[in-house]
Amino acid sequence: MGEQRPGNESLLFLTDEQLRRGIEAMFFAYRGFTADPDIILADRGYGRAHHRAVHFINRTPGTSVNNLLAILGVTKQSLNRVLRTLVEDGLVTSKIGTRDRRERHLFLTDTGKQLEQALSQAQRGRLRAAYRAAGPEAVAGFRQVLEAMMDPDQHRRFVAPGGRA
Amino acid sequence: MGEQRPGNESLLFLTDEQLRRGIEAMFFAYRGFTADPDIILADRGYGRAHHRAVHFINRTPGTSVNNLLAILGVTKQSLNRVLRTLVEDGLVTSKIGTRDRRERHLFLTDTGKQLEQALSQAQRGRLRAAYRAAGPEAVAGFRQVLEAMMDPDQHRRFVAPGGRA
DNA sequence: TTGGAATGTCAACAACGCTGACATAACCTG
DNA sequence: CAGGTTATGTCAGCGTTGTTGACATTCCAA
């Protein structure tokens, strides 16, 4: 089935078996990665979509809806449903743009920042522990592989500076 | 906000900023990671839950429903819905246990194996490219961090041999 | 024989993706 | 200014996949 290359010792990390281990590791790790925020979110009646919106609004305050759409890779209907509840609940404010009045610039309110901090601290706690356990060289490798795994668009956005907010 | 430790050069990889980059890398990478199988699945009217079931049945043929439940971490109702469609569509067979006739042992049919191969090849292709681009040392670090990020239960199961099938 | 474990099933619900359609306002170009 | 495009919002409907709760069946084990 696979394209093994017996005889070349340096490529043993590319065997199907190693790749299968990597696939399962991604699956289990992602579950751990989201587990702690999920508890906080469920407590307040939110889901992961809210977490993602809050995260990226915090990261790039004043970002437009369209920009957020591109980052999150969902439809505007899907994002709008989430944003509407966040605005209704007073976690996010949307201000009409000055240069282009069609745009809405999104900001976290103080309450929104509180939630972001709670989610962020929980998630960073898990990641920090993993980083500490694995050490700086492992972390560098971790980041390298993750970046190579992204879609090219996402990677460009990821590497690029904050955004055109 | 965070617990930075200025003055200790060796801990710079634990700054909140570095952790935030890691969090976003996980988010974007996981999206890339699932993108290719998602296309195949959508084409056949399945979702990620079907992928996961097919993957782990292939990995551990003859596994019981309860064991699969523990691995996937979902409710039996949720898994059952997925398994039912897979059995109906002739991708999975469930055989009554011989030692304990209450248990159902799950196997892929030839058709099921075909789907597993298609999904697996797509996903391995993406991961292989990332591994190749990053190199063996990076891959080792990648795996280390992922394993440290899992829940302890999952990690034990992950490291342990195949299962009690 | 009886308790409990393993499994299956029905119903209802929620989160969060999707498509399609439509409305409004604002911008931009000819 | 008119017409086209862009940005956003909203309604309606649908599908996957997770959840709880309740209940039935089968069967092992004490």
Side-chain angles (χ1 to χ4, degrees), chain B residues 19-139:
Chain B
L19 293 166
R20 202 217 64 197
R21 301 282 287 183
I23 286 169
E24 293 184 6
M26 273 297 280
F27 170 61
F28 290 126
Y30 198 78
R31 277 250 298 268
F33 174 70
T34 53
D36 303 325
D38 279 356
I39 295 168
I40 299 171
L41 290 162
D43 195 53
R44 317 202 186 189
Y46 294 131
R48 282 186 201 170
H50 300 87
H51 184 183
R52 294 196 279 265
V54 162
H55 173 96
F56 284 106
I57 294 172
N58 177 69
R59 175 198 147 152
T60 312
T63 187
S64 72
V65 173
N66 245 17
N67 187 33
L68 200 51
L69 237 38
I71 291 173
L72 297 177
V74 296
T75 58
K76 65 176 179 173
Q77 292 90 332
S78 212
L79 176 58
N80 192 259
R81 182 169 36 199
V82 168
L83 283 180
R84 201 190 323 150
T85 68
L86 290 175
V87 169
E88 278 170 6
D89 296 352
L91 303 184
V92 168
T93 55
S94 87
K95 296 183 182 168
I96 295 177
T98 51
R99 209 198 51 194
D100 184 337
R101 289 166 46 85
R102 285 169 305 182
E103 295 184 344
R104 306 297 149 93
H105 298 290
L106 304 168
F107 301 87
L108 292 185
T109 63
D110 287 346
T111 318
K113 285 177 190 168
Q114 279 173 27
L115 176 59
E116 196 284 331
Q117 275 300 304
L119 294 169
S120 189
Q121 274 177 29
Q123 199 156 44
R124 277 199 308 262
R126 167 90 63 152
L127 194 58
R128 186 184 298 116
Y131 273 20
R132 225 193 288 267
E137 289 84 7
V139 169

Side-chain angles (χ1 to χ4, degrees), chain A residues 3 16 18-19 24 27-28 31 52 55 59 72 124 126-128 138 141 143 149 151 154, chain B residues 3 16 18-19 24 27-28 31 52 55 59 72 124 126-128 138 141 143 149 151 154:
Chain A
E3 42 267 49
D16 282 359
Q18 284 300 308
L19 293 166
E24 294 185 5
F27 170 61
F28 290 125
R31 277 250 299 267
R52 295 195 278 265
H55 174 96
R59 177 198 146 152
L72 296 177
R124 277 200 307 264
R126 166 90 63 152
L127 194 58
R128 188 184 297 115
R143 286 278 302 277
M149 215 184 301
D151 270 329
Q154 306 283 348
Chain B
E3 43 268 44
D16 282 358
Q18 284 302 306
L19 293 166
E24 293 184 6
F27 170 61
F28 290 126
R31 277 250 298 268
R52 294 196 279 265
H55 173 96
R59 175 198 147 152
L72 297 177
R124 277 199 308 262
R126 167 90 63 152
L127 194 58
R128 186 184 298 116
R143 287 279 302 277
M149 214 184 301
D151 270 329
Q154 305 284 347

Side-chain angles (χ1 to χ4, degrees), chain A residues 8-58:
Chain A
N8 191 335
E9 305 302 313
S10 71
L11 291 178
L12 280 183
F13 73 110
L14 292 175
T15 60
D16 282 359
E17 172 62 15
Q18 284 300 308
L19 293 166
R20 203 215 63 197
R21 301 282 288 184
I23 286 168
E24 294 185 5
M26 273 296 280
F27 170 61
F28 290 125
Y30 198 78
R31 277 250 299 267
F33 173 71
T34 54
D36 303 325
D38 280 354
I39 293 168
I40 298 171
L41 290 161
D43 196 55
R44 317 203 184 186
Y46 294 131
R48 282 186 201 170
H50 300 86
H51 184 183
R52 295 195 278 265
V54 164
H55 174 96
F56 284 106
I57 293 172
N58 177 69

Side-chain angles (χ1 to χ4, degrees), chain A residues 65 69 74-88:
Chain A
V65 173
L69 237 37
V74 297
T75 59
K76 65 174 180 175
Q77 293 91 330
S78 217
L79 176 59
N80 192 259
R81 181 168 38 194
V82 168
L83 283 181
R84 202 188 321 151
T85 69
L86 289 174
V87 170
E88 279 169 6

Side-chain angles (χ1 to χ4, degrees), chain A residues 64-66 76-77 80-81 84 94 100 102-104:
Chain A
S64 71
V65 173
N66 246 14
K76 65 174 180 175
Q77 293 91 330
N80 192 259
R81 181 168 38 194
R84 202 188 321 151
S94 87
D100 185 336
R102 287 170 307 179
E103 296 184 343
R104 307 295 150 92

